[in-house]
Amino acid sequence: MATDGPYAPPAGMLDTVAGYESIATGGGGEGGYLPPPVYPMPNAEGGQPQPDQQWSIPSITEDTAKQALIKFASDHYTYRNRPAEEMVIKELKPYNMYRYRLDTFTESRSPECKSEPFHSQTVDNCGFGPPPLPWDVVVDTPTMFEKNKKTIKVPHTGSVKGCHKCMAMGKAPCSTCSQTGRVKCRNCHGNGTQPDSEDRCDQCLGSGIQSCESCSGCGRQTCTECEGQGQLFCYIQLTIKWENNKFEHIVEQQCELPTKVLKKVKGQNLFTDQQFQVFPLVGFPEPRINQVSQQGIQEHWAQFGKKSRIIQQRHTVELIPVTEVHFQWKEKDHTYFVFGTENKVKAPDYPGKICTIL
């Protein structure tokens, strides 16, 4: 029976290879990532200065605020449009919310000893040259900031070993009959008689046992590890993972709109930078953005810089427009918010709700 693919042989089966000593004794494996080359962590002293400019978005017009509320009411079947159409806007109060985002695209490498049945395939061993170190194996980088995974055989790490499971014989003890070649009769369950009568079982002729079908009665079956070859092709497999790690923070002003509703709306892009390593922002008009930028970059380097290689970083600052709208309908005051460049609406006390009884 064929195996499902390469598997990990016993610890110590693979010859010790320079740079991969841990897996020769059973270490390594996916999740046992090797530390990458050391890179200096960015700091605020090397920060990126920003233009001395006051970023602000003017309040939306009354008509825009009204149309946004009408659409909001139309999208809710239990809301009436009438309050939105008849309301009188008293005040538009703009707020500017900043959103800082940091994407850190990382690569991690995890070596593992693998083996597969040897079918006379070419063995790329150390005779063809010294095996490259884990971080020296050349691999094409996939699309930036997109999750990906690849497994490759490390060049010049191949070797042929006798199968440990069958002692290089190609046959292993049959687990069905425990090497006896005989099993309990399936027809009579070892009773020797027909299940529905006292007549002799015609399958085992009354003996209650029959030849094992798994091994054809010989007590041994083709080894599933080596597929009967008696030998295994061993090598080091390198699992490479690319991950896009995100850091996001919204710098808010004092208003009653929950910041969680801003996570899925679009803003106006104020700043974007992408390179091997980005530096904390310096001199941004909103000081808290400078602090958040430094915090996010430090967190990512502390979290990912030791176990993976940072390939590329990208950070952005968006300005998310928020307008607090005060209006009156039937001589009562109400408030709602219009936010994001899509003019989304949050109106928890909308006066046109229709009561429904379930």
Side-chain angles (χ1 to χ4, degrees), residues 114-129 153-161 231-236:
K114 289 290 185 179
S115 62
E116 59 190 48
F118 180 60
H119 292 285
S120 301
Q121 57 263 52
T122 301
V123 180
D124 180 16
N125 56 30
C126 59
F128 292 89
K153 294 178 181 178
V154 178
H156 315 324
T157 60
S159 62
V160 178
K161 304 290 184 180
Q231 293 181 307
L232 295 173
F233 171 48
C234 301
Y235 56 91
I236 295 177

Side-chain angles (χ1 to χ4, degrees), residues 76-349:
H76 294 74
Y77 72 94
T78 59
Y79 287 15
R80 295 175 303 198
N81 283 9
R82 185 179 172 188
E85 294 170 347
E86 296 179 353
M87 72 173 181
V88 177
I89 294 179
K90 295 297 184 180
E91 181 185 8
L92 298 175
K93 189 175 181 180
Y95 294 91
N96 292 321
M97 307 286 197
Y98 293 97
R99 176 166 54 208
Y100 175 81
R101 282 176 173 163
L102 171 66
D103 291 294
T104 298
F105 189 53
T106 60
E107 175 186 312
S108 58
R109 299 192 173 196
S110 174
E112 187 176 8
C113 179
K114 289 290 185 179
S115 62
E116 59 190 48
F118 180 60
H119 292 285
S120 301
Q121 57 263 52
T122 301
V123 180
D124 180 16
N125 56 30
C126 59
F128 292 89
L133 296 174
W135 285 99
D136 290 338
V137 177
V138 179
V139 182
D140 292 333
T141 302
T143 303
M144 290 290 180
F145 305 107
E146 290 187 11
K147 186 176 181 179
N148 212 318
K149 178 181 176 180
K150 181 183 292 186
T151 57
I152 61 172
K153 294 178 181 178
V154 178
H156 315 324
T157 60
S159 62
V160 178
K161 304 290 184 180
C163 179
H164 59 280
K165 185 174 182 180
C166 65
M167 304 300 291
M169 298 177 63
K171 294 283 186 178
C174 179
S175 57
T176 303
C177 66
S178 301
Q179 301 187 70
T180 63
R182 312 287 285 175
V183 294
K184 186 183 295 185
C185 177
R186 279 187 269 177
N187 183 54
C188 67
H189 304 290
N191 295 323
T193 59
Q194 295 289 353
D196 54 354
S197 71
E198 295 298 323
D199 297 336
R200 186 179 66 172
C201 175
D202 56 8
Q203 296 291 322
C204 63
L205 302 178
S207 66
I209 58 174
Q210 61 183 165
S211 178
C212 177
E213 293 182 359
S214 298
C215 62
S216 301
C218 69
R220 301 182 70 81
Q221 58 188 164
T222 301
C223 178
T224 56
E225 298 283 320
C226 65
E227 297 180 358
Q229 301 302 307
Q231 293 181 307
L232 295 173
F233 171 48
C234 301
Y235 56 91
I236 295 177
Q237 175 177 283
L238 199 61
T239 298
I240 305 173
K241 287 185 176 181
W242 292 272
E243 302 278 352
N244 187 38
N245 308 281
K246 296 179 178 291
F247 173 92
E248 181 177 307
H249 187 86
I250 293 177
V251 174
E252 60 179 316
Q253 294 186 6
Q254 294 298 321
C255 76
E256 296 181 2
L257 180 68
T259 56
K260 64 181 181 180
V261 304
L262 302 177
K263 291 184 176 295
K264 295 183 179 181
V265 298
K266 297 179 181 178
Q268 176 183 327
N269 188 65
L270 301 180
F271 169 81
T272 299
D273 182 53
Q274 177 180 327
Q275 51 185 310
F276 157 61
Q277 62 178 35
V278 296
F279 292 86
L281 299 179
V282 175
F284 198 84
E286 169 54 67
R288 287 178 294 175
I289 285 292
N290 300 325
Q291 298 170 4
V292 168
S293 169
Q294 183 170 359
Q295 174 191 343
I297 292 173
Q298 287 180 341
E299 283 186 9
H300 271 202
W301 277 85
Q303 187 175 357
F304 308 114
K306 294 181 180 180
K307 70 176 184 179
S308 57
R309 181 168 67 98
I310 294 179
I311 299 177
Q312 196 85 179
Q313 288 187 305
R314 175 180 64 199
H315 61 169
T316 61
V317 179
E318 292 176 278
L319 182 60
I320 306 175
V322 176
T323 301
E324 184 178 338
V325 184
H326 296 267
F327 71 97
Q328 193 175 73
W329 186 67
K330 289 187 175 182
E331 299 182 352
K332 291 185 178 181
D333 294 329
H334 302 276
T335 303
Y336 68 96
F337 292 91
V338 182
F339 55 95
T341 57
E342 310 96 323
N343 291 330
K344 297 286 187 180
V345 169
K346 185 172 181 60
D349 63 342

